[in-house]
Amino acid sequence: MNNSGWQRGIYAITDAHLMPDDDTLFSRVAAALEGGIALLQYRDKSVNQQRRLRQAQRLKQLCDHYDTPLIINDDVDLAKAVNAGVHLGREDGSIAAARAQLGASAIIGATCHDSLESAAQAVDEGASYLAFGRFFASRTKPDAPPAPLTLLREARQWQLPVVAIGGIDSANIGQVIDAGADLAAVVHAVFGSSSPAHAVFRLRQAVSD
């Protein structure tokens, strides 16, 4: 997978509960990268900055080996420190400020939930992709507001990659892709599997069927 191909495919997001130590995190991420994910997001909400920096540095090395972009969740300073992209929620700071700090070539994603208004603002501020959801029952964010699948097609008006998130697995991934998503963001569907590489293969196969 190369950087020009990140706009379509499987967007895997790490989960500290599923991968509580370095060895588990790195081995499972390496397997997902081997399986052919398009993007990797490092998501760790802990306050252990030293651990987060160490893990992000190693993940950047792994992603570089597979020529796959690394995205840091909600932390522009950490993204800058490891030369990665960043994903920002609506309450996590300005996309415009992140763009100014990370530069024109950085991948900056925006959480839009179920709101085209939020998407429009993110586009104006310089987002690289727009993420919507949840579309199905989600273990990671069970209280997130549900979004209609029709939103994905409407979001294509901005001609940026559209990301679907929320309860996506091999049984329903085809629905979000058919509805207009370019990327399907997954957590448990990859990192909750005993074989992340095989899980990625199944997801990619489900999209191509």
Side-chain angles (χ1 to χ4, degrees), residues 9 11-14 41 43 73 87 110-114 129-142 144-149 151-152 162-169 172-173 175-177 181-188:
Y11 185 173
I13 302 174
T14 68
Q41 184 183 130
R43 185 176 186 271
N73 179 266
H87 182 93
T111 293
C112 304
H113 293 301
D114 60 346
Y129 67 78
L130 306 170
F132 297 90
R134 62 176 174 88
F135 292 98
F136 308 102
S138 169
R139 299 187 210 180
T140 304
K141 291 191 174 183
L149 286 170
L151 195 65
L152 296 169
V162 174
V163 180
I165 189 168
I168 297 170
D169 56 26
N172 59 33
I173 189 172
Q175 294 182 50
V176 296
I177 299 299
D182 298 294
L183 290 138
V186 294
V187 181
H188 285 266

Side-chain angles (χ1 to χ4, degrees), residues 8-197:
R8 294 189 65 83
I10 309 303
Y11 185 173
I13 302 174
T14 68
D15 185 320
H17 297 293
L18 294 174
M19 298 173 284
D21 58 78
D22 285 10
D23 287 347
T24 307
L25 173 65
F26 301 146
S27 64
R28 295 179 77 74
V29 165
L33 288 163
E34 184 67 29
I37 59 174
L39 284 174
L40 176 76
Q41 184 183 130
Y42 174 58
R43 185 176 186 271
D44 184 337
K45 297 292 191 178
S46 75
V47 295
N48 189 333
Q49 298 296 332
Q50 185 176 19
R51 185 188 72 181
R52 294 175 74 246
L53 176 60
R54 181 186 70 247
Q55 291 184 340
Q57 287 173 329
R58 177 57 182 148
L59 292 176
K60 184 62 165 64
Q61 292 174 346
L62 286 169
C63 285
D64 285 351
H65 178 73
Y66 287 91
D67 204 12
T68 301
L70 173 67
I71 309 297
I72 305 295
N73 179 266
D74 294 349
D75 191 332
V76 178
D77 290 337
L78 181 57
K80 187 174 179 64
V82 300
N83 193 28
V86 73
H87 182 93
L88 297 176
R90 289 196 286 194
E91 311 300 325
D92 297 317
S94 161
I95 291 170
R99 175 63 68 200
Q101 188 170 345
L102 298 179
S105 63
I107 301 173
I108 300 177
T111 293
C112 304
H113 293 301
D114 60 346
S115 171
L116 291 174
E117 182 179 346
S118 293
Q121 180 179 345
V123 172
D124 288 343
E125 292 189 10
S128 306
Y129 67 78
L130 306 170
F132 297 90
R134 62 176 174 88
F135 292 98
F136 308 102
S138 169
R139 299 187 210 180
T140 304
K141 291 191 174 183
D143 298 324
L149 286 170
T150 54
L151 195 65
L152 296 169
R153 189 72 61 188
E154 294 177 81
R156 299 188 68 83
Q157 65 186 280
W158 290 291
Q159 299 182 329
L160 289 179
V162 174
V163 180
I165 189 168
I168 297 170
D169 56 26
S170 59
N172 59 33
I173 189 172
Q175 294 182 50
V176 296
I177 299 299
D178 290 346
D182 298 294
L183 290 138
V186 294
V187 181
H188 285 266
V190 169
F191 294 121
S193 168
S194 59
S195 173

